Amino acid sequence: FLSGAIAQGALAPGGGFYVGMNTGINSSALTRFTDAGAQDPTFGATPLGFAANTLYDILVQPDGRVVLIGGADSGDVSYSRFL
């Protein structure tokens, strides 16, 4: 399960919510929870990894895809779109 500081959250289409965490140097993670607060088993067995020191935002697009935006100490910005 996740270990780290919660950085961002977003509502999931159809119920539930996403939680993004800063988990260590150059790493963040994303997982989804059900409306009841349990980790959503349909989202995968482990949280999705994302290479960024700091997670800035979680965006949920109208089609339900999730975009993570993060950055590094150097000032670089990165993003990932999950299908």
Side-chain angles (χ1 to χ4, degrees):
F1 191 71
L2 291 174
S3 175
I6 294 176
Q8 294 292 329
L11 294 176
F17 54 97
Y18 295 100
V19 171
M21 299 183 77
N22 296 321
T23 57
I25 297 173
N26 291 327
S27 66
S28 298
L30 174 73
T31 194
R32 185 170 61 198
F33 291 88
T34 66
D35 286 333
Q39 194 169 8
D40 188 343
T42 66
F43 192 64
T46 59
L48 299 173
F50 178 62
N53 284 353
T54 304
L55 181 61
Y56 296 139
D57 208 352
I58 300 172
L59 306 172
V60 181
Q61 297 180 308
D63 62 4
R65 294 179 181 176
V66 178
V67 178
L68 298 182
I69 302 168
D73 292 338
S74 65
D76 291 341
V77 175
S78 59
Y79 66 92
S80 288
R81 182 176 183 223
F82 296 95
L83 304 178

